[in-house]
Amino acid sequence: MRYRYLALVAAVSTSLRAQTFDQRISDVGDGTMHLTYASRPGVCGDGKETVRSGPVIVVFPSMFGYGHSDMSVCFTGPIRVALGRSDRETVSIRVHVGGRWSGDAESSDLGVVSAPEAARYFLREATRASGKNAEYALAAAVFADSVALWSDLGRLARSPDVRAETRHRAVFWIGTYDDPGAGRLLHDLVSDAALDDEVRGAAIIAVGRDDISDEDVAWLRRLYPTLSQKLRDNVFLAVSRSDNPRAAAWLANVATSSDESNHTREQAMFWLGQGRAPTAELVRLYDRLSEPALRTHYTFVLSQRRDREALEKLIDVAEHDANRDVRRQALFWLGQSKDPRAAQYLRELVTR
């Protein structure tokens, strides 16, 4: 009986804390409210719009992706959220990581609040809000310390009652958790044919974040034949992030396969060029492309590489390809290059 009593007290206490947190916000009818809480490990920001979490880079309100930033300083918290209130409703949400509030007599400040309570509140707000507010609400939730939300995000991603944009962004944020359960959840979302291609595609891209494993590459390759064209394109993006030579070789094989559509082959070629494959792999691909249309696309892919080897191959195509249109396209991309060696080649070509 005593244990049942303690459990009941704990449940009531938790409920009261949540009600108290929500009530403190709802008590502000109009104006701007500030609140601050601890950030989860690995999250840092510039105190303004830019946030980094492992390989994830976010520039609010609209850039979400994987890569590297040139931030000279990255503060490891706290999370700062500004809520705009009107008629006891939240009408705007803005999130910053690091920095501090400037003095503003017109704003009310809740001070430092519980990170888990804030996370649960903003997760609920994300399902109600739309547009930028939903984006900020989700971010405010997943940046919070001491709470793992990947399973909650999975439920959001599957819910037909949640806006499509919020469902897709929820999948993106699942990919920021290192928990093995989050990885299994992404696999489940990719494999679920009942979900729309946007959610499944977002899960494929999340599986293919910067540290994609050889096992995940092999799994995506096995799944590839069963997928729609759109999802196949997502697979190319994900696999391109691998530095395993077998991943690059597979993309090259798809790009040269007569069993694939031209669109598919062009996409595989594009992501081969955008990914981590060495330029030598891209150079070797040229001799396997018999169709002029694919060789024309090849000149664009090659032009996106900024190294000497790619430039020399682009000049070689401009000089020696059997098709005049392909040669012209190679010359066009050489003209777009900022490499002085490209300009020198074009000057010499004119004076021949």
Side-chain angles (χ1 to χ4, degrees), residues 120-293:
R120 296 296 177 188
Y121 171 80
F122 286 116
L123 198 63
R124 293 192 297 273
E125 283 297 304
T127 66
R128 294 194 286 260
S130 61
K132 293 179 182 179
N133 286 336
E135 296 279 17
Y136 279 112
L138 267 183
V142 300
F143 291 164
D145 191 26
S146 303
V147 57
L149 297 177
W150 54 264
S151 59
D152 301 272
L153 295 171
R155 285 189 286 274
L156 280 187
R158 293 182 183 277
S159 174
D161 299 324
V162 176
R163 291 178 177 85
E165 296 81 3
T166 304
R167 295 170 63 208
H168 307 157
R169 188 64 68 208
V171 177
F172 172 84
W173 288 119
I174 293 170
T176 67
Y177 289 92
D178 290 332
D179 193 296
R184 290 191 296 271
L185 174 57
L186 289 174
H187 279 231
D188 290 343
L189 293 172
V190 172
S191 302
D192 190 346
L195 294 173
D196 63 72
D197 275 4
E198 293 297 330
V199 169
R200 297 178 73 192
I204 290 171
I205 293 170
V207 168
R209 57 193 183 273
D210 270 8
D211 56 348
I212 184 171
S213 67
D214 291 346
E215 291 77 12
D216 278 341
V217 169
W219 178 72
L220 288 174
R221 287 178 57 183
R222 290 193 301 271
L223 197 64
Y224 171 83
T226 70
L227 301 176
S228 68
Q229 180 64 69
K230 177 179 176 54
L231 295 180
R232 290 183 178 194
D233 293 349
N234 295 139
V235 169
F236 298 148
L237 186 161
V239 171
S240 74
R241 291 177 174 149
S242 171
D243 54 11
N244 189 316
R246 290 194 295 273
W250 179 72
L251 288 171
N253 287 338
V254 174
T256 57
S257 172
S258 60
D259 294 330
E260 301 282 3
S261 69
N262 270 10
H263 171 85
T264 297
R265 297 171 71 180
E266 288 178 356
Q267 285 295 302
M269 190 191 311
F270 173 79
W271 286 111
L272 176 65
Q274 292 290 305
R276 296 181 176 178
T279 300
E281 183 75 42
L282 200 58
V283 169
R284 287 192 295 269
L285 181 66
Y286 175 76
D287 292 332
R288 301 170 61 186
L289 300 173
S290 58
E291 299 90 337

